[in-house]
């Protein structure tokens, strides 16, 4: 590959590792960086099995976190769509004493039913309990915020964010990791990973691949 594409692979690997090591969310770009790093390491064929296993495990962890973040974002959007997206600390205008005049304040508490809040007014510090249809947000509108909650990257950008596109499906990474675990003598762990990889492949319609990995899992378990 080096003879075809003149790329500084060492610099590329360092950059990808730095992307994976950043503490800032989201996890999607980190998972994508991990997949690309796996591809480069496979093309070079110089990394030790231990190093490759570490990268695969870290990338799979990021993929799990990416799914969790997507589920949380969807749940937040659903809560917001139902009018239950307000949080303590949100800046709002509230219909004081239901008289029709709105004054600025801050939400101090969201009650358990999710339909009422306690607002603390900015001018005198007094508080009032109101239903959410008697408040309106003062949060600044941004290009990445909608009335239903934060935009997805594709909504904000107008196209899919290629930084979060992974080269591999999780089940393929699990199969790669299973092979390495098997080589290192961790047969039960390898069998578990092959079983998970087989399930993922089956869900993706890759029946032959799923069957092969399922057989590998059985062999490792002595079946």
């Amino acid at each position: 590959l080096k003879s075809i594409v003149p790329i500084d692979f060492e610099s590329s690997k360092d950059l990808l590792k730095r992307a994976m090591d950043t503490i800032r969310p989201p996890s999607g770009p980190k998972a994508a960086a991990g997949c690309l790093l796996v591809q480069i390491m496979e093309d070079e064929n110089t990394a030790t099995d231990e190093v490759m296993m570490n990268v695969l495990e870290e990338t799979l962890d990021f993929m799990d976190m990416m799914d969790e973040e997507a589920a949380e974002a969807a749940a937040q959007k659903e809560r917001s769509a139902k009018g239950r997206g307000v949080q303590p600390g949100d800046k709002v205008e509230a219909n004081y004493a239901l008289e029709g005049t709105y004054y600025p304040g801050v939400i101090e508490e969201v009650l358990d039913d999710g339909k009422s809040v306690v607002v603390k007014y900015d001018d005198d510090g007094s508080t009032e309990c109101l239903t959410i249809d008697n408040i309106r947000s003062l949060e600044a509108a941004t290009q990445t915020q909608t009335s239903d909650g934060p935009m997805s990257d594709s909504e904000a950008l107008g196209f899919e964010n290629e930084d979060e596109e992974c080269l591999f499906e999780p089940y393929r990474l699990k199969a790669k990791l299973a092979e390495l675990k098997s080589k290192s003598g961790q047969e039960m762990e390898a069998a578990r990973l092959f079983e998970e990889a087989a399930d993922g492949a089956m869900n993706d319609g890759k029946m032959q691949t799923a069957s092969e990995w399922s057989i590998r899992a059985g062999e490792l378990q002595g079946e």
Side-chain angles (χ1 to χ4, degrees), residues 2 5 24 53-54 76 78 80 82 114 131 134-135 147 159 177 194-196 208 216 219-220:
K2 285 184 178 180
V5 183
R24 293 176 296 178
M53 282 193 289
N54 288 337
Q76 174 62 33
E78 182 178 356
S80 298
K82 294 178 179 178
T131 57
N134 282 293
I135 63 171
S147 60
F159 52 83
L177 182 57
F194 271 126
E195 287 179 342
E196 292 181 4
Q208 182 175 347
R216 287 296 312 280
E219 291 173 348
L220 289 167

Side-chain angles (χ1 to χ4, degrees), residues 38 42 52-53 56-57 60 63 168-183 186-187 189-202 206 208-214 216-217 220:
V38 168
E42 286 186 335
M52 181 64 85
M53 282 193 289
L56 286 167
E57 288 172 338
L60 285 166
M63 286 181 163
F168 303 104
E169 295 292 341
Y171 61 84
R172 295 198 178 277
L173 294 185
K174 288 181 179 181
K176 293 175 185 292
L177 182 57
E179 291 285 2
L180 295 173
K181 293 283 187 180
S182 177
K183 285 176 60 179
Q186 302 177 61
E187 294 184 348
E189 179 67 8
R192 181 187 66 81
L193 286 165
F194 271 126
E195 287 179 342
E196 292 181 4
D199 289 342
M202 185 174 297
K206 311 293 185 183
Q208 182 175 347
T209 301
S211 178
E212 292 172 357
W213 288 339
S214 182
R216 287 296 312 280
L220 289 167

Side-chain angles (χ1 to χ4, degrees), residues 83 86 93-95 98 102 114-117 130-136:
V86 292
E93 285 183 329
N95 183 8
L98 301 182
Y102 285 74
K115 299 178 181 179
S116 302
V117 298
L130 295 167
T131 57
I132 57 172
D133 55 350
N134 282 293
I135 63 171
R136 55 197 186 198

Side-chain angles (χ1 to χ4, degrees), residues 2 4 37 50 52 67-68 81 93 110 121 125 166 220:
K2 285 184 178 180
I4 300 175
L37 184 55
E50 183 178 359
M52 181 64 85
D67 291 340
E68 292 171 5
E93 285 183 329
V110 179
Y121 290 102
C166 294
L220 289 167

